[in-house]
Amino acid sequence: MSMKSVLKARILLSACSGLLLVASVHTVAATRPNHLLPQYQQSVPAMRAALHGPLPSVQSAPVSSPEGPGTSITGTPVSQSHKAMLKHAVETAPGVKKSLQKRLLSAPIAATAATAATAATAATAATAATPETYAPTRPPGGIDPATAVPLLWQNATIGQIGAMADGSVQQSDKNQPNGVAGLDAAGRFTAPVAGDVTAATAGSALSGALKRPLSARFAEQPSAGDFGITLDGTSDDSTALQAAKAAVPAGSMVRIPAGVLHLATPLQSETPTLWQINGTTLADGAPITSLGTDVIESTLEGGKYFARGESRADMAPVLRKDLDVTHTGGTTGFVMNLEKGNCTIPAEGAALNDYVWCHSTVLNSSAFGAGQHVAQASLAQRPADALADGKGSRSQIWAGYDEARDETGQASSVAGSMVGREVDVYANGDDPVGWRIGLQLQIAGTSADGTPGKVGKGIAIGNNDATSTYGTLIDAAGRFDTAGIDLSRSTPVNNAPVLNIGANRNLAFSDDHKPHFQFDSAAYTLRYWYDTANLLAIGMQGDVTTSISNAGSGVAWTLNGQAQLGLNLTGLNAPEALRLAAGQTLSWEPTAVVHSGFANGKLTEQVAAGVARTLDTSGNETLPGSLQNSQTIVSLTQPTAPAYVAKGTAAIGLDTTGLTTPEALRVADGQAISWEHTASVQTRYASGQLQDSQNGTPLRTLDASGNETVTGSTRNSGMTTSLNNSAASAITLTGSAGIGVNLTGLSTSNALRLGDGQSVAWEPTAVMTTGYTATGLTDAKGTTPLRQLDSNGNETLAGTITPNAGVHLPTLSRASIKAQPNPAPGVMVFDAEDDVPAIYTSAGWMLVGLSAMP
């Protein structure tokens, strides 16, 4: 190497040593080993010798001076060629990194010649060694061993010292007391920091989040712990809670950490606070359910709990939820809820003995005053300006909706009970003012001065299928099988009306409302109307007025059925129990053949057209026949006199056919009835036997067992009688016997034989008959067939079947039903295999669908 090159290198290294010192003060050096560690320490004299030792052949080397660029250390100007040479030397020097080159060329030169020479020597050694080997740079003046502060910089600022000593911190001081905090690659703390750090900033990991002071973050979630709460169960926590409440704005949320709360003094403040209680209890372990008039948010029995233990007038609700619907459109049928709760009770593993109520509201009130207390209220309101947009009718609204569904298709006795909604009212004592209401339905207009409103139905219950029925209905718009309104099991008290429709209102009986009842409050009269005609009126004194507008077939008063008395007027104290107009009659039997009437100054009783008795105004009675009183009792004291003697030419000597009693005549044991005037032929009952005798000789005897003994010839039932008088009956039976004709003793299969076309008549006029003709066996009324049975066993009825215990269809197997030959449409049988009826139609056999009876 030439001398010129050596000189150039020395000048370059001298300048570099000064530049490195200055650059270390003004810039942040890269991390390197700490030059204060023992292996890098030298004695102060050796350090000074290294700093001030001679540098041969470089004293007059032109370098930059602290006075400014272009000046040598001795004041000699530095030429531009020298600057260029310096730059070239720095850029081409081996082992010098680009970052170091940049600092050498940009930092001001502020070192003495001695310092530069010493630094040049160190730089030469560093250049000759491995590039990664560390050679510490010593500040001018050395380092004070007591303070480790450079002697030249004892008056430097902390920032200047930190900048110079960057990367020279003892590794053992990191994260230690009175040491320094460690930083990660991003410049963040890696160990807890003591002291007030609220002025520090922090950011969220969320994208786009800004850094904010920690004090702002802490203020967002105030805690009672920030105000010195102890929660040890013995210290008074009132002061801390009161301070926390006073420090936050009204309506703020303050957290209470877990612990045991003790309040010696109740909270005092008019501004509301929401307390979030996180596992805090009272001293006895009970949950906190009250903090003055403030709302608390906690957990109770494992569930979310909101409560306010005390109240003052006109307070807001403990919990309020609002949902404002601001969108349009949406999926058809989607239900948007303000609040929705789902409770699922599975069939498997849910044999519950406790009650599961998906929503429960309980109101306890002992208050008095003019307020109202409602356990649960719903309001659905359509505002007055809802139609202002002209879009037509609005959507349906419900004030409340309840639905209970049973989709099993089984009877309630199988599927279980269901309740659509239950309304219970429990109270003891009387209700004189009617303030206790089981269910109130109020229908009114929105304003008193508006158009009167109208509701189609107050309570409407209808069917949504064709099979359901109702046991009790209010509005008979649906099917019912018991009663529209059933009040039979009610118990009126104090003569309360079972049904009260009010005065001057109608109780109608048909869809056209023509037949109806009305109470006329002005006349205090109950009236029955047909359309506009008042047919019946009952006054408040019990007087009844009837108007009849049908003179042809109308009957003023008709009584049917069986009663002890048809019409009882014995309770009347009026002298006239019944009044008839002159010429009118009082009939005594349905055909009005027997009747009484007053006409021509005489009271007359007659049968058909024949006058039976007449009583004139003078009291004279005229009888066309003899006087016979059925109530006459004759006591005889003359054993030779007859009790009753009838003489003359009457049609019947003694007629008892009008009696309804089964005993037409009674005789004593041993007495006889004589059949002719000499009393030779008699019938008597004596010694347990009924005997017919002639001249004292028994001819026929009938004992108590029904055995008959006949003295004389025996009539044979095989007797044949030939009749030649077509108007005469073959056998005529009159009287009253246990059996008219008894054929039970016959052993022949033909008990009675009739000729073709003959009939059996069932009543005296022979209107009702049974007979066999070419069409089959026929029951008829006159010439009209009522029931026919042909030779194939088919029965035809003119009317309907009304059995008392139901109709029993023939039970057949599936194969038997299908094998029926040519069944007639409408034939019904019972399918034993499907357990349902089957009916034959033009399309074949069809099964009838059945549902369980409710």
Side-chain angles (χ1 to χ4, degrees), residues 498-529:
V498 176
L499 180 63
N500 189 352
I501 63 173
N504 302 317
R505 293 184 174 91
N506 298 336
L507 180 61
F509 297 97
S510 67
D511 292 338
D512 59 9
H513 302 167
K514 288 185 177 180
H516 61 272
F517 270 115
Q518 182 191 62
F519 180 74
D520 185 350
S521 61
Y524 225 74
T525 299
L526 179 63
R527 302 182 186 278
Y528 173 76
W529 298 79

PDB file of all heavy atoms in Angstrom, residues 498-529:
ATOM      1  N   VAL A 498    -131.669 -14.553  36.435  1.00  0.00           N
ATOM      2  CA  VAL A 498    -130.723 -15.397  35.725  1.00  0.00           C
ATOM      3  C   VAL A 498    -130.309 -14.741  34.411  1.00  0.00           C
ATOM      4  O   VAL A 498    -129.164 -14.847  33.987  1.00  0.00           O
ATOM      5  CB  VAL A 498    -131.347 -16.783  35.473  1.00  0.00           C
ATOM      6  CG1 VAL A 498    -130.424 -17.650  34.650  1.00  0.00           C
ATOM      7  CG2 VAL A 498    -131.671 -17.467  36.794  1.00  0.00           C
ATOM      8  N   LEU A 499    -131.236 -14.059  33.775  1.00  0.00           N
ATOM      9  CA  LEU A 499    -130.951 -13.347  32.536  1.00  0.00           C
ATOM     10  C   LEU A 499    -131.653 -12.009  32.585  1.00  0.00           C
ATOM     11  O   LEU A 499    -132.857 -11.940  32.824  1.00  0.00           O
ATOM     12  CB  LEU A 499    -131.434 -14.163  31.325  1.00  0.00           C
ATOM     13  CG  LEU A 499    -131.193 -13.547  29.952  1.00  0.00           C
ATOM     14  CD1 LEU A 499    -129.706 -13.406  29.685  1.00  0.00           C
ATOM     15  CD2 LEU A 499    -131.846 -14.393  28.863  1.00  0.00           C
ATOM     16  N   ASN A 500    -130.925 -10.939  32.368  1.00  0.00           N
ATOM     17  CA  ASN A 500    -131.490  -9.597  32.419  1.00  0.00           C
ATOM     18  C   ASN A 500    -131.137  -8.882  31.125  1.00  0.00           C
ATOM     19  O   ASN A 500    -129.965  -8.612  30.867  1.00  0.00           O
ATOM     20  CB  ASN A 500    -130.938  -8.833  33.622  1.00  0.00           C
ATOM     21  CG  ASN A 500    -131.654  -7.510  33.845  1.00  0.00           C
ATOM     22  OD1 ASN A 500    -132.460  -7.090  33.021  1.00  0.00           O
ATOM     23  ND2 ASN A 500    -131.352  -6.858  34.942  1.00  0.00           N
ATOM     24  N   ILE A 501    -132.155  -8.618  30.312  1.00  0.00           N
ATOM     25  CA  ILE A 501    -131.895  -7.942  29.044  1.00  0.00           C
ATOM     26  C   ILE A 501    -132.249  -6.470  29.099  1.00  0.00           C
ATOM     27  O   ILE A 501    -132.001  -5.744  28.145  1.00  0.00           O
ATOM     28  CB  ILE A 501    -132.650  -8.627  27.884  1.00  0.00           C
ATOM     29  CG1 ILE A 501    -134.156  -8.537  28.091  1.00  0.00           C
ATOM     30  CG2 ILE A 501    -132.217 -10.070  27.727  1.00  0.00           C
ATOM     31  CD1 ILE A 501    -134.952  -9.042  26.909  1.00  0.00           C
ATOM     32  N   GLY A 502    -132.829  -6.024  30.176  1.00  0.00           N
ATOM     33  CA  GLY A 502    -133.138  -4.609  30.316  1.00  0.00           C
ATOM     34  C   GLY A 502    -134.491  -4.238  29.744  1.00  0.00           C
ATOM     35  O   GLY A 502    -135.056  -4.920  28.891  1.00  0.00           O
ATOM     36  N   ALA A 503    -135.039  -3.134  30.259  1.00  0.00           N
ATOM     37  CA  ALA A 503    -136.365  -2.677  29.828  1.00  0.00           C
ATOM     38  C   ALA A 503    -136.329  -2.211  28.379  1.00  0.00           C
ATOM     39  O   ALA A 503    -135.332  -1.663  27.907  1.00  0.00           O
ATOM     40  CB  ALA A 503    -136.850  -1.555  30.736  1.00  0.00           C
ATOM     41  N   ASN A 504    -137.470  -2.447  27.678  1.00  0.00           N
ATOM     42  CA  ASN A 504    -137.685  -1.992  26.307  1.00  0.00           C
ATOM     43  C   ASN A 504    -136.712  -2.614  25.309  1.00  0.00           C
ATOM     44  O   ASN A 504    -136.521  -2.092  24.208  1.00  0.00           O
ATOM     45  CB  ASN A 504    -137.599  -0.456  26.215  1.00  0.00           C
ATOM     46  CG  ASN A 504    -138.605   0.225  27.116  1.00  0.00           C
ATOM     47  OD1 ASN A 504    -139.762  -0.185  27.190  1.00  0.00           O
ATOM     48  ND2 ASN A 504    -138.159   1.250  27.827  1.00  0.00           N
ATOM     49  N   ARG A 505    -136.048  -3.719  25.720  1.00  0.00           N
ATOM     50  CA  ARG A 505    -135.175  -4.434  24.799  1.00  0.00           C
ATOM     51  C   ARG A 505    -135.821  -5.764  24.429  1.00  0.00           C
ATOM     52  O   ARG A 505    -136.619  -6.304  25.171  1.00  0.00           O
ATOM     53  CB  ARG A 505    -133.804  -4.672  25.424  1.00  0.00           C
ATOM     54  CG  ARG A 505    -133.017  -3.371  25.639  1.00  0.00           C
ATOM     55  CD  ARG A 505    -131.630  -3.664  26.181  1.00  0.00           C
ATOM     56  NE  ARG A 505    -130.824  -2.458  26.266  1.00  0.00           N
ATOM     57  CZ  ARG A 505    -130.749  -1.688  27.325  1.00  0.00           C
ATOM     58  NH1 ARG A 505    -131.459  -2.004  28.408  1.00  0.00           N
ATOM     59  NH2 ARG A 505    -130.000  -0.623  27.333  1.00  0.00           N
ATOM     60  N   ASN A 506    -135.474  -6.289  23.301  1.00  0.00           N
ATOM     61  CA  ASN A 506    -136.137  -7.463  22.752  1.00  0.00           C
ATOM     62  C   ASN A 506    -135.326  -8.730  23.013  1.00  0.00           C
ATOM     63  O   ASN A 506    -134.099  -8.706  23.003  1.00  0.00           O
ATOM     64  CB  ASN A 506    -136.344  -7.312  21.243  1.00  0.00           C
ATOM     65  CG  ASN A 506    -137.233  -6.140  20.901  1.00  0.00           C
ATOM     66  OD1 ASN A 506    -138.041  -5.716  21.727  1.00  0.00           O
ATOM     67  ND2 ASN A 506    -137.106  -5.615  19.700  1.00  0.00           N
ATOM     68  N   LEU A 507    -136.051  -9.820  23.212  1.00  0.00           N
ATOM     69  CA  LEU A 507    -135.478 -11.159  23.264  1.00  0.00           C
ATOM     70  C   LEU A 507    -136.087 -11.926  22.103  1.00  0.00           C
ATOM     71  O   LEU A 507    -137.250 -12.335  22.156  1.00  0.00           O
ATOM     72  CB  LEU A 507    -135.797 -11.838  24.604  1.00  0.00           C
ATOM     73  CG  LEU A 507    -135.245 -13.258  24.788  1.00  0.00           C
ATOM     74  CD1 LEU A 507    -133.733 -13.255  24.715  1.00  0.00           C
ATOM     75  CD2 LEU A 507    -135.710 -13.853  26.116  1.00  0.00           C
ATOM     76  N   ALA A 508    -135.321 -12.078  21.000  1.00  0.00           N
ATOM     77  CA  ALA A 508    -135.852 -12.633  19.760  1.00  0.00           C
ATOM     78  C   ALA A 508    -135.682 -14.143  19.723  1.00  0.00           C
ATOM     79  O   ALA A 508    -134.838 -14.715  20.420  1.00  0.00           O
ATOM     80  CB  ALA A 508    -135.152 -11.992  18.569  1.00  0.00           C
ATOM     81  N   PHE A 509    -136.489 -14.808  18.871  1.00  0.00           N
ATOM     82  CA  PHE A 509    -136.502 -16.261  18.791  1.00  0.00           C
ATOM     83  C   PHE A 509    -136.269 -16.774  17.376  1.00  0.00           C
ATOM     84  O   PHE A 509    -136.385 -17.965  17.136  1.00  0.00           O
ATOM     85  CB  PHE A 509    -137.831 -16.803  19.319  1.00  0.00           C
ATOM     86  CG  PHE A 509    -138.058 -16.489  20.767  1.00  0.00           C
ATOM     87  CD1 PHE A 509    -138.820 -15.396  21.138  1.00  0.00           C
ATOM     88  CD2 PHE A 509    -137.487 -17.267  21.761  1.00  0.00           C
ATOM     89  CE1 PHE A 509    -139.020 -15.089  22.477  1.00  0.00           C
ATOM     90  CE2 PHE A 509    -137.682 -16.970  23.086  1.00  0.00           C
ATOM     91  CZ  PHE A 509    -138.451 -15.880  23.458  1.00  0.00           C
ATOM     92  N   SER A 510    -135.977 -15.920  16.440  1.00  0.00           N
ATOM     93  CA  SER A 510    -135.717 -16.367  15.073  1.00  0.00           C
ATOM     94  C   SER A 510    -134.793 -15.360  14.411  1.00  0.00           C
ATOM     95  O   SER A 510    -134.564 -14.259  14.925  1.00  0.00           O
ATOM     96  CB  SER A 510    -137.015 -16.499  14.274  1.00  0.00           C
ATOM     97  OG  SER A 510    -137.605 -15.234  14.073  1.00  0.00           O
ATOM     98  N   ASP A 511    -134.270 -15.760  13.249  1.00  0.00           N
ATOM     99  CA  ASP A 511    -133.354 -14.878  12.545  1.00  0.00           C
ATOM    100  C   ASP A 511    -134.021 -13.599  12.067  1.00  0.00           C
ATOM    101  O   ASP A 511    -133.374 -12.557  11.958  1.00  0.00           O
ATOM    102  CB  ASP A 511    -132.737 -15.617  11.352  1.00  0.00           C
ATOM    103  CG  ASP A 511    -131.808 -16.740  11.792  1.00  0.00           C
ATOM    104  OD1 ASP A 511    -131.338 -16.675  12.942  1.00  0.00           O
ATOM    105  OD2 ASP A 511    -131.564 -17.655  10.986  1.00  0.00           O
ATOM    106  N   ASP A 512    -135.337 -13.665  11.743  1.00  0.00           N
ATOM    107  CA  ASP A 512    -136.015 -12.455  11.270  1.00  0.00           C
ATOM    108  C   ASP A 512    -136.493 -11.561  12.405  1.00  0.00           C
ATOM    109  O   ASP A 512    -137.028 -10.483  12.163  1.00  0.00           O
ATOM    110  CB  ASP A 512    -137.188 -12.814  10.364  1.00  0.00           C
ATOM    111  CG  ASP A 512    -138.218 -13.694  11.077  1.00  0.00           C
ATOM    112  OD1 ASP A 512    -138.115 -13.882  12.318  1.00  0.00           O
ATOM    113  OD2 ASP A 512    -139.116 -14.214  10.386  1.00  0.00           O
ATOM    114  N   HIS A 513    -136.309 -12.009  13.680  1.00  0.00           N
ATOM    115  CA  HIS A 513    -136.626 -11.207  14.866  1.00  0.00           C
ATOM    116  C   HIS A 513    -138.125 -10.915  15.000  1.00  0.00           C
ATOM    117  O   HIS A 513    -138.505 -10.080  15.831  1.00  0.00           O
ATOM    118  CB  HIS A 513    -135.870  -9.869  14.867  1.00  0.00           C
ATOM    119  CG  HIS A 513    -134.391 -10.034  14.801  1.00  0.00           C
ATOM    120  ND1 HIS A 513    -133.533  -8.995  14.525  1.00  0.00           N
ATOM    121  CD2 HIS A 513    -133.608 -11.121  14.967  1.00  0.00           C
ATOM    122  CE1 HIS A 513    -132.295  -9.428  14.522  1.00  0.00           C
ATOM    123  NE2 HIS A 513    -132.311 -10.722  14.786  1.00  0.00           N
ATOM    124  N   LYS A 514    -138.981 -11.589  14.234  1.00  0.00           N
ATOM    125  CA  LYS A 514    -140.409 -11.289  14.331  1.00  0.00           C
ATOM    126  C   LYS A 514    -140.995 -11.771  15.654  1.00  0.00           C
ATOM    127  O   LYS A 514    -141.651 -10.987  16.354  1.00  0.00           O
ATOM    128  CB  LYS A 514    -141.142 -11.880  13.131  1.00  0.00           C
ATOM    129  CG  LYS A 514    -140.859 -11.119  11.838  1.00  0.00           C
ATOM    130  CD  LYS A 514    -141.701 -11.645  10.692  1.00  0.00           C
ATOM    131  CE  LYS A 514    -141.453 -10.829   9.431  1.00  0.00           C
ATOM    132  NZ  LYS A 514    -142.266 -11.314   8.288  1.00  0.00           N
ATOM    133  N   PRO A 515    -140.855 -13.023  16.050  1.00  0.00           N
ATOM    134  CA  PRO A 515    -141.362 -13.410  17.381  1.00  0.00           C
ATOM    135  C   PRO A 515    -140.367 -12.971  18.455  1.00  0.00           C
ATOM    136  O   PRO A 515    -139.195 -13.369  18.434  1.00  0.00           O
ATOM    137  CB  PRO A 515    -141.465 -14.942  17.279  1.00  0.00           C
ATOM    138  CG  PRO A 515    -140.474 -15.330  16.251  1.00  0.00           C
ATOM    139  CD  PRO A 515    -140.372 -14.202  15.289  1.00  0.00           C
ATOM    140  N   HIS A 516    -140.801 -12.163  19.392  1.00  0.00           N
ATOM    141  CA  HIS A 516    -139.885 -11.674  20.415  1.00  0.00           C
ATOM    142  C   HIS A 516    -140.663 -11.198  21.642  1.00  0.00           C
ATOM    143  O   HIS A 516    -141.851 -10.865  21.563  1.00  0.00           O
ATOM    144  CB  HIS A 516    -139.021 -10.535  19.878  1.00  0.00           C
ATOM    145  CG  HIS A 516    -139.787  -9.332  19.423  1.00  0.00           C
ATOM    146  ND1 HIS A 516    -140.281  -9.199  18.136  1.00  0.00           N
ATOM    147  CD2 HIS A 516    -140.166  -8.192  20.078  1.00  0.00           C
ATOM    148  CE1 HIS A 516    -140.911  -8.047  18.018  1.00  0.00           C
ATOM    149  NE2 HIS A 516    -140.863  -7.415  19.186  1.00  0.00           N
ATOM    150  N   PHE A 517    -139.930 -11.209  22.768  1.00  0.00           N
ATOM    151  CA  PHE A 517    -140.447 -10.684  24.023  1.00  0.00           C
ATOM    152  C   PHE A 517    -139.889  -9.289  24.244  1.00  0.00           C
ATOM    153  O   PHE A 517    -138.777  -8.967  23.820  1.00  0.00           O
ATOM    154  CB  PHE A 517    -140.037 -11.576  25.203  1.00  0.00           C
ATOM    155  CG  PHE A 517    -141.028 -12.663  25.506  1.00  0.00           C
ATOM    156  CD1 PHE A 517    -140.694 -14.001  25.358  1.00  0.00           C
ATOM    157  CD2 PHE A 517    -142.293 -12.349  25.972  1.00  0.00           C
ATOM    158  CE1 PHE A 517    -141.600 -15.000  25.643  1.00  0.00           C
ATOM    159  CE2 PHE A 517    -143.208 -13.337  26.265  1.00  0.00           C
ATOM    160  CZ  PHE A 517    -142.864 -14.669  26.103  1.00  0.00           C
ATOM    161  N   GLN A 518    -140.677  -8.482  24.956  1.00  0.00           N
ATOM    162  CA  GLN A 518    -140.232  -7.141  25.312  1.00  0.00           C
ATOM    163  C   GLN A 518    -140.931  -6.710  26.596  1.00  0.00           C
ATOM    164  O   GLN A 518    -142.124  -6.994  26.779  1.00  0.00           O
ATOM    165  CB  GLN A 518    -140.559  -6.147  24.194  1.00  0.00           C
ATOM    166  CG  GLN A 518    -140.079  -4.724  24.482  1.00  0.00           C
ATOM    167  CD  GLN A 518    -140.642  -3.737  23.492  1.00  0.00           C
ATOM    168  OE1 GLN A 518    -141.858  -3.568  23.408  1.00  0.00           O
ATOM    169  NE2 GLN A 518    -139.761  -3.095  22.725  1.00  0.00           N
ATOM    170  N   PHE A 519    -140.159  -6.061  27.463  1.00  0.00           N
ATOM    171  CA  PHE A 519    -140.766  -5.503  28.671  1.00  0.00           C
ATOM    172  C   PHE A 519    -141.000  -4.015  28.452  1.00  0.00           C
ATOM    173  O   PHE A 519    -140.059  -3.239  28.248  1.00  0.00           O
ATOM    174  CB  PHE A 519    -139.882  -5.726  29.891  1.00  0.00           C
ATOM    175  CG  PHE A 519    -140.472  -5.165  31.155  1.00  0.00           C
ATOM    176  CD1 PHE A 519    -141.539  -5.798  31.781  1.00  0.00           C
ATOM    177  CD2 PHE A 519    -139.988  -3.984  31.702  1.00  0.00           C
ATOM    178  CE1 PHE A 519    -142.098  -5.277  32.927  1.00  0.00           C
ATOM    179  CE2 PHE A 519    -140.546  -3.462  32.851  1.00  0.00           C
ATOM    180  CZ  PHE A 519    -141.601  -4.105  33.469  1.00  0.00           C
ATOM    181  N   ASP A 520    -142.287  -3.642  28.489  1.00  0.00           N
ATOM    182  CA  ASP A 520    -142.689  -2.249  28.298  1.00  0.00           C
ATOM    183  C   ASP A 520    -142.592  -1.554  29.648  1.00  0.00           C
ATOM    184  O   ASP A 520    -143.424  -1.760  30.542  1.00  0.00           O
ATOM    185  CB  ASP A 520    -144.115  -2.202  27.745  1.00  0.00           C
ATOM    186  CG  ASP A 520    -144.558  -0.785  27.401  1.00  0.00           C
ATOM    187  OD1 ASP A 520    -143.843   0.174  27.773  1.00  0.00           O
ATOM    188  OD2 ASP A 520    -145.607  -0.642  26.766  1.00  0.00           O
ATOM    189  N   SER A 521    -141.537  -0.729  29.805  1.00  0.00           N
ATOM    190  CA  SER A 521    -141.322  -0.092  31.103  1.00  0.00           C
ATOM    191  C   SER A 521    -142.382   0.966  31.408  1.00  0.00           C
ATOM    192  O   SER A 521    -142.689   1.224  32.571  1.00  0.00           O
ATOM    193  CB  SER A 521    -139.924   0.540  31.150  1.00  0.00           C
ATOM    194  OG  SER A 521    -139.801   1.540  30.144  1.00  0.00           O
ATOM    195  N   ALA A 522    -142.952   1.585  30.390  1.00  0.00           N
ATOM    196  CA  ALA A 522    -143.963   2.616  30.627  1.00  0.00           C
ATOM    197  C   ALA A 522    -145.232   2.007  31.220  1.00  0.00           C
ATOM    198  O   ALA A 522    -145.791   2.520  32.202  1.00  0.00           O
ATOM    199  CB  ALA A 522    -144.274   3.353  29.326  1.00  0.00           C
ATOM    200  N   ALA A 523    -145.706   0.889  30.636  1.00  0.00           N
ATOM    201  CA  ALA A 523    -146.900   0.215  31.146  1.00  0.00           C
ATOM    202  C   ALA A 523    -146.558  -0.878  32.151  1.00  0.00           C
ATOM    203  O   ALA A 523    -147.469  -1.477  32.725  1.00  0.00           O
ATOM    204  CB  ALA A 523    -147.691  -0.394  29.986  1.00  0.00           C
ATOM    205  N   TYR A 524    -145.285  -1.087  32.368  1.00  0.00           N
ATOM    206  CA  TYR A 524    -144.801  -2.136  33.262  1.00  0.00           C
ATOM    207  C   TYR A 524    -145.485  -3.467  32.920  1.00  0.00           C
ATOM    208  O   TYR A 524    -146.072  -4.146  33.765  1.00  0.00           O
ATOM    209  CB  TYR A 524    -145.051  -1.785  34.738  1.00  0.00           C
ATOM    210  CG  TYR A 524    -143.830  -2.085  35.588  1.00  0.00           C
ATOM    211  CD1 TYR A 524    -142.719  -1.253  35.526  1.00  0.00           C
ATOM    212  CD2 TYR A 524    -143.790  -3.198  36.417  1.00  0.00           C
ATOM    213  CE1 TYR A 524    -141.594  -1.525  36.281  1.00  0.00           C
ATOM    214  CE2 TYR A 524    -142.663  -3.465  37.167  1.00  0.00           C
ATOM    215  CZ  TYR A 524    -141.565  -2.630  37.104  1.00  0.00           C
ATOM    216  OH  TYR A 524    -140.438  -2.917  37.835  1.00  0.00           O
ATOM    217  N   THR A 525    -145.371  -3.820  31.643  1.00  0.00           N
ATOM    218  CA  THR A 525    -146.056  -4.991  31.108  1.00  0.00           C
ATOM    219  C   THR A 525    -145.085  -5.786  30.247  1.00  0.00           C
ATOM    220  O   THR A 525    -144.322  -5.211  29.450  1.00  0.00           O
ATOM    221  CB  THR A 525    -147.269  -4.565  30.258  1.00  0.00           C
ATOM    222  OG1 THR A 525    -148.176  -3.838  31.086  1.00  0.00           O
ATOM    223  CG2 THR A 525    -147.978  -5.772  29.672  1.00  0.00           C
ATOM    224  N   LEU A 526    -145.121  -7.112  30.422  1.00  0.00           N
ATOM    225  CA  LEU A 526    -144.340  -8.006  29.583  1.00  0.00           C
ATOM    226  C   LEU A 526    -145.177  -8.376  28.369  1.00  0.00           C
ATOM    227  O   LEU A 526    -146.297  -8.876  28.509  1.00  0.00           O
ATOM    228  CB  LEU A 526    -143.953  -9.273  30.365  1.00  0.00           C
ATOM    229  CG  LEU A 526    -143.137 -10.307  29.595  1.00  0.00           C
ATOM    230  CD1 LEU A 526    -141.789  -9.738  29.174  1.00  0.00           C
ATOM    231  CD2 LEU A 526    -142.949 -11.571  30.429  1.00  0.00           C
ATOM    232  N   ARG A 527    -144.619  -8.136  27.181  1.00  0.00           N
ATOM    233  CA  ARG A 527    -145.371  -8.340  25.965  1.00  0.00           C
ATOM    234  C   ARG A 527    -144.665  -9.346  25.056  1.00  0.00           C
ATOM    235  O   ARG A 527    -143.442  -9.364  24.964  1.00  0.00           O
ATOM    236  CB  ARG A 527    -145.542  -7.025  25.195  1.00  0.00           C
ATOM    237  CG  ARG A 527    -146.221  -5.919  25.988  1.00  0.00           C
ATOM    238  CD  ARG A 527    -146.401  -4.677  25.145  1.00  0.00           C
ATOM    239  NE  ARG A 527    -146.929  -3.568  25.923  1.00  0.00           N
ATOM    240  CZ  ARG A 527    -148.220  -3.400  26.202  1.00  0.00           C
ATOM    241  NH1 ARG A 527    -149.104  -4.283  25.778  1.00  0.00           N
ATOM    242  NH2 ARG A 527    -148.623  -2.371  26.911  1.00  0.00           N
ATOM    243  N   TYR A 528    -145.501 -10.164  24.392  1.00  0.00           N
ATOM    244  CA  TYR A 528    -145.003 -11.047  23.356  1.00  0.00           C
ATOM    245  C   TYR A 528    -145.518 -10.535  22.019  1.00  0.00           C
ATOM    246  O   TYR A 528    -146.724 -10.356  21.837  1.00  0.00           O
ATOM    247  CB  TYR A 528    -145.467 -12.490  23.580  1.00  0.00           C
ATOM    248  CG  TYR A 528    -145.097 -13.401  22.435  1.00  0.00           C
ATOM    249  CD1 TYR A 528    -143.791 -13.848  22.268  1.00  0.00           C
ATOM    250  CD2 TYR A 528    -146.057 -13.792  21.507  1.00  0.00           C
ATOM    251  CE1 TYR A 528    -143.441 -14.666  21.213  1.00  0.00           C
ATOM    252  CE2 TYR A 528    -145.719 -14.609  20.434  1.00  0.00           C
ATOM    253  CZ  TYR A 528    -144.406 -15.046  20.294  1.00  0.00           C
ATOM    254  OH  TYR A 528    -144.069 -15.857  19.249  1.00  0.00           O
ATOM    255  N   TRP A 529    -144.585 -10.304  21.127  1.00  0.00           N
ATOM    256  CA  TRP A 529    -144.925  -9.728  19.834  1.00  0.00           C
ATOM    257  C   TRP A 529    -144.641 -10.737  18.731  1.00  0.00           C
ATOM    258  O   TRP A 529    -143.705 -11.528  18.805  1.00  0.00           O
ATOM    259  CB  TRP A 529    -144.072  -8.477  19.538  1.00  0.00           C
ATOM    260  CG  TRP A 529    -144.254  -7.346  20.485  1.00  0.00           C
ATOM    261  CD1 TRP A 529    -143.726  -7.197  21.723  1.00  0.00           C
ATOM    262  CD2 TRP A 529    -145.026  -6.170  20.251  1.00  0.00           C
ATOM    263  NE1 TRP A 529    -144.096  -6.025  22.297  1.00  0.00           N
ATOM    264  CE2 TRP A 529    -144.913  -5.355  21.396  1.00  0.00           C
ATOM    265  CE3 TRP A 529    -145.804  -5.709  19.196  1.00  0.00           C
ATOM    266  CZ2 TRP A 529    -145.537  -4.124  21.501  1.00  0.00           C
ATOM    267  CZ3 TRP A 529    -146.412  -4.471  19.304  1.00  0.00           C
ATOM    268  CH2 TRP A 529    -146.287  -3.695  20.452  1.00  0.00           C
TER     269      TRP A 529
END
